Amino acid sequence: MPYPSLTLTAMAVVTDPQPPARTDPPASPDGGRRRVVAMTVWAVTFVAAWLAIGLPTDPAYAFVWIWAATIAWNSERPWRSHLRFARDWVPVVLLFVVYNLSRGFADNGATPHAMELIVADRFMFGWATGGEVPTVWLQQHLYHPQVHWWDIAASWVYFSHFVVALAAAAVLWLRDRHRWAAYMRRWGFLCAAGLVTYFLYPAAPPWWAAQNGLLTEVARISTRGWKAFGMHGAGNVLNAGQIASNPVAAMPSLHTAWALFVVLFFLAGTRRRWWPLLLAYPLAMTFTLVYSGEHYVIDVLVGWAYVGLTFLVVGLAERGWAAWRARHPKAGTPPPPELTDDPETPPTEPPSPRTPTTPSTTPQVPADH
């Protein structure tokens, strides 16, 4: 069998591309023990702060705990990775802080809308509730002086509004930065649409209508479930936030809108057998808000419509932008390098051919031979 010439062998050694050197952080020598210890410390600290201060319902406060959780989960990574998380998230947190503060100016001293919402709920459900709005009917049948299991479940579901959307975004940031950007674009649009509506159509919740004589007695009971655990201070921050919150930001219900948004964003990539469990979350949030006197059903339906509008508008905008960039490749900056799942792993570049460090001693064959 003829062997390849030495010249061809030397050329192959010189020109064959070599795999790039690994630049990602080496695996932790102690396996998962470091992660377990770090997450245990985080969990104990979180529970202690929960009992002493209250639940993290403020966006900035919740961000601190989520950031600490990502540091504990990926404690083997260098600090530049954790600082990059803060760099990307600080604008998002500031946006939500401004959003929370701006809601307080939505009423502008005017009387909020209430009767239209009452009439809408009675029109849709009065045939089944004896002419009452669903909030009044539910509290007449389920609300008692003693705390029941559904009160506890409602308190947990209500609290999840302040954590689930942020936690999902944090997981996306760690796993897929492209999807994280798509998630944040839709989430930001949804919040902006809701905020504009608060200014254009300030509306009051059922508990406000009951206090002003438009409904029979309605109790605001979204946090009473903590009493069953003896944790009377567990909802201190949440209760303080409710007192300081804008009472005319009921239409649309962003509580249920956020719940449905998170579920729909991940639904396509989830096996269908899990769909009923995921879709049960926005339904549980709907029951919680209506039962606890925070929203009417019409608020929920409008919030769900805003979620559909968000996916439609942002999806069309993204496709339009991609088509424009394809038609005008020189109009914008070069596309960013593709990001990997690991934020610390830089994009690989095609390796350049290596040159031999010593002159080749392989005899050359004349061209005429």
Side-chain angles (χ1 to χ4, degrees):
M1 176 178 180
Y3 291 94
S5 66
L6 292 177
T7 302
L8 296 179
T9 304
M11 291 177 61
V13 171
V14 173
T15 59
D16 280 353
Q18 302 299 316
R22 291 180 59 87
T23 56
D24 54 316
S28 179
D30 57 358
R33 185 182 308 170
R34 180 174 180 175
R35 174 174 291 175
V36 171
V37 172
M39 291 302 297
T40 302
V41 172
W42 177 90
V44 172
T45 308
F46 175 79
V47 173
W50 168 14
L51 298 177
I53 303 175
L55 295 168
T57 57
D58 179 77
Y61 186 36
F63 161 74
V64 171
W65 282 111
I66 292 175
W67 187 22
T70 62
I71 294 175
W73 185 260
N74 293 313
S75 57
E76 76 281 356
R77 289 183 177 174
W79 269 102
R80 65 176 179 271
S81 173
H82 306 309
L83 294 178
R84 186 178 296 116
F85 182 91
R87 179 200 65 188
D88 290 348
W89 275 79
V90 164
V92 176
V93 174
L94 292 178
L95 178 63
F96 281 110
V97 170
V98 172
Y99 162 78
N100 283 342
L101 294 176
S102 61
R103 289 191 309 164
F105 300 97
D107 57 350
N108 198 24
T111 302
H113 297 269
M115 281 305 303
E116 307 97 292
L117 311 181
I118 296 173
V119 171
D121 269 29
R122 284 176 175 168
F123 175 78
M124 290 186 294
F125 302 99
W127 59 272
T129 60
E132 295 287 356
V133 298
T135 295
V136 174
W137 186 86
L138 286 173
Q139 292 199 4
Q140 287 175 350
H141 289 78
L142 298 176
Y143 177 53
H144 304 285
Q146 66 273 22
V147 177
H148 291 81
W149 66 267
W150 54 82
D151 297 308
I152 300 172
S155 294
W156 278 109
V157 172
Y158 185 79
F159 164 68
S160 70
H161 162 76
F162 304 95
V163 176
V164 169
L166 277 173
V171 172
L172 280 177
W173 189 93
L174 292 172
R175 296 180 61 87
D176 191 334
R177 296 277 295 281
H178 291 297
R179 293 196 70 197
W180 174 80
Y183 181 97
M184 298 310 298
R185 284 192 294 269
R186 287 158 176 78
W187 196 16
F189 181 90
L190 177 61
C191 294
L195 182 60
V196 170
T197 307
Y198 296 154
F199 279 92
L200 298 178
Y201 189 83
W207 62 262
W208 185 97
Q211 289 181 356
N212 290 271
L214 301 178
L215 285 175
T216 56
E217 184 177 356
V218 172
R220 194 177 190 185
I221 54 176
S222 53
T223 60
R224 72 190 302 254
W226 308 124
K227 298 178 182 179
F229 295 97
M231 296 183 296
H232 299 279
N236 286 343
V237 175
L238 184 56
N239 292 331
Q242 285 185 335
I243 295 173
S245 64
N246 179 18
V248 300
M251 171 69 76
S253 170
L254 285 188
H255 284 74
T256 50
W258 285 17
L260 182 63
F261 163 75
V262 174
V263 168
L264 291 184
F265 189 87
F266 293 99
L267 198 64
T270 308
R271 293 183 178 180
R272 292 196 174 185
R273 64 183 179 183
W274 298 108
W275 283 16
L277 182 61
L278 291 178
L279 293 173
Y281 176 54
L283 295 177
M285 182 66 74
T286 298
F287 169 82
T288 295
L289 297 174
V290 175
Y291 166 61
S292 61
E294 298 290 345
H295 285 281
Y296 298 96
V297 177
I298 187 64
D299 302 335
V300 173
L301 298 179
V302 174
W304 289 355
Y306 274 45
V307 174
L309 181 67
T310 295
F311 280 95
L312 176 63
V313 172
V314 178
L316 290 175
E318 288 175 343
R319 287 191 288 270
W321 173 251
W324 187 87
R325 289 289 299 272
R327 293 193 302 268
H328 306 82
K330 297 181 180 180
T333 57
E338 183 178 357
L339 298 173
T340 61
D341 289 344
D342 185 1
E344 281 302 307
T345 305
T348 58
E349 298 179 356
S352 57
R354 295 189 302 174
T355 56
T357 55
T358 58
S360 175
T361 57
T362 305
Q364 303 295 326
V365 179
D368 56 352
H369 289 187

